[in-house]
């Protein structure tokens, strides 16, 4: 399928490359059409890989992935344009990390709001699903890097959109039974605030390639 | 050993009762010496169970457990008195839940601070360890309620205090290898902010008796 990936960082490149590997066609979107990282990715990623602006990528995609940093996601989507998002599944994998005070980062949105909600509120005609933000980029597209069963979350207002997102997660290697539906898009607050623990776990465990499994009676 | 448990709610009662069951002597502390919940607990919990003020409980304990609500913990510890905390292991199991806007609660302390840090800063002579706040009261003292391996966290500045806390967790049933040391007391931010996810998971899973296991290569 045709997918627009917004963002040229590690997360955007990792997801975009996985999609090409899976046979999808991808336009990676950046603020500027001349973005060097997006151009380099498009030349190296193989057949079906293109680079363009945020609007090019969003217009190209039957579904759109927001892989920009959470603090600039609304600006990126504004550049992408509401018309290019209407009716589409918009998968938001961002985290509102604020590194302005150094490491560890704080969250620029917490408690009574989340980036996922802000995006859904700004683009009511998009079908926003928050997912994958709770694992590192390499685990997002290759859950088998982490041994055993472990989970990923989906938050969104549209059950159909969550189903489509779960199908895409399945293509990345996430079994449907390990995709936990947290509820509507407000539950993205939980998935985003978990990152404060994730950051400390990364320190305690010595690296980012880990995840959590749920245990219940 | 002699333990002071500050707080008369479900968490305080559950921990205090477990300690009595394990053969410890416990004074449950409340704001008022005449607190009915503490008195009822002391009459029913068996030998070694007493009730008193926060100061009575903290003075009695060789170690002190803060099981008050996070939003009132500093006030409770102020009533307990710095002299009654000096040099002692102070186990903080609180969460800064703010229900003033209804359910789900928000956190009254986030991002650049945590209740654990606030307590350590206010009582530098106490040896504060944040732990157990990431599971429900019944799981705190009976991890076997949740099947399989799953983890609990410790955060604190004093490695010896974390070792003592881990020993107490062991008496509750937590194997030492499932106690994850997140680092110094600032890492309590991660453990406390995780509660935003925990609350949504409680909804998705249909109840509070669950926990997470870490998976890594």
């Amino acid at each position: 399928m045709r997918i627009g990936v917004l963002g040229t960082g590690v997360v955007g490149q990792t997801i975009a490359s996985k999609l090409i590997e899976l046979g999808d066609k991808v336009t990676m979107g950046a603020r500027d059409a001349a973005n060097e990282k997006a151009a380099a990715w498009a030349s190296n990623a193989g057949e079906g890989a293109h680079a363009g602006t945020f609007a090019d990528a969003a217009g190209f995609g039957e579904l759109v992935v927001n892989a920009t940093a959470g603090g600039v996601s609304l600006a990126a989507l504004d550049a992408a344009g509401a018309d290019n998002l209407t009716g589409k599944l918009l998968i938001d994998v961002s985290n509102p990390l604020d590194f302005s005070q150094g490491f560890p980062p704080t969250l620029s949105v917490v408690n009574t709001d989340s980036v996922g909600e802000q995006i859904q509120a700004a683009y009511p005609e998009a079908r926003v699903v928050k997912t994958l933000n709770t694992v590192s980029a390499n685990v997002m597209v290759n859950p088998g890097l982490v041994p055993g069963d472990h989970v990923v979350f989906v938050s969104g207002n549209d059950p159909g959109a969550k189903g489509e997102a779960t199908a895409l997660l399945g293509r990345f290697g996430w079994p449907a039974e390990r995709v936990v539906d947290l509820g509507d898009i407000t539950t993205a607050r939980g998935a985003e605030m978990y990152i404060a623990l994730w950051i400390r776990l990364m320190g305690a465990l010595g690296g980012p390639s880990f995840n959590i499994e749920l245990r219940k009676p």
Side-chain angles (χ1 to χ4, degrees), chain A:
Chain A
M1 75 191 296
R2 296 191 320 275
I3 299 179
V5 174
L6 311 183
T8 63
V10 172
V11 173
Q13 298 224 4
T14 302
I15 290 176
S17 293
K18 178 70 171 192
L19 291 166
I20 293 293
E21 187 187 314
L22 291 171
D24 295 312
K25 295 184 197 311
V26 177
T27 296
M28 177 179 286
R31 182 162 306 281
D32 301 312
N35 182 284
E36 289 179 11
K37 284 160 74 182
W41 174 80
S43 346
N44 295 323
E47 203 178 340
H50 302 280
T53 62
F54 287 133
D56 292 335
F60 175 81
E62 300 163 80
L63 84 80
V64 178
V65 177
N66 174 40
T68 63
V72 300
S73 291
L74 286 174
L77 289 163
D78 184 58
D83 287 352
N84 289 324
L85 301 170
T86 295
K88 293 181 184 174
L89 171 60
L90 173 52
I91 292 182
D92 172 32
V93 306
S94 71
N95 279 306
L97 299 176
D98 177 355
F99 289 95
S100 64
Q101 307 300 313
F103 191 90
T106 57
L107 302 187
S108 58
V109 183
V110 279
N111 252 337
T112 55
D113 205 357
S114 60
V115 178
E117 285 165 272
Q118 290 182 334
I119 292 172
Q120 184 64 81
Y123 300 95
E125 303 298 321
R127 298 181 298 135
V128 178
V129 176
K130 184 96 201 183
T131 189
L132 286 176
N133 69 299
T134 57
V135 292
S136 63
N138 57 352
V139 177
M140 288 180 186
V141 302
N142 188 2
L145 280 178
V146 175
D149 289 336
H150 51 98
V151 294
V152 69
F153 306 108
V154 290
S155 301
N157 295 339
D158 181 329
K162 287 190 279 194
E164 291 168 47
T166 301
L168 182 67
L169 292 171
R171 296 179 66 216
F172 286 175
W174 295 93
E177 64 272 19
R178 300 257 76 72
V179 179
V180 177
D181 186 348
L182 292 177
D184 69 21
I185 194 64
T186 68
T187 64
R189 297 174 200 176
E192 293 182 14
M193 289 173 76
Y194 161 75
I195 296 306
L197 177 59
W198 186 93
I199 289 163
R200 277 74 185 189
L201 286 171
M202 180 176 67
L205 300 175
S209 297
F210 66 87
N211 196 15
I212 57 174
E213 167 67 348
L214 298 180
R215 300 288 203 195
K216 64 187 175 89

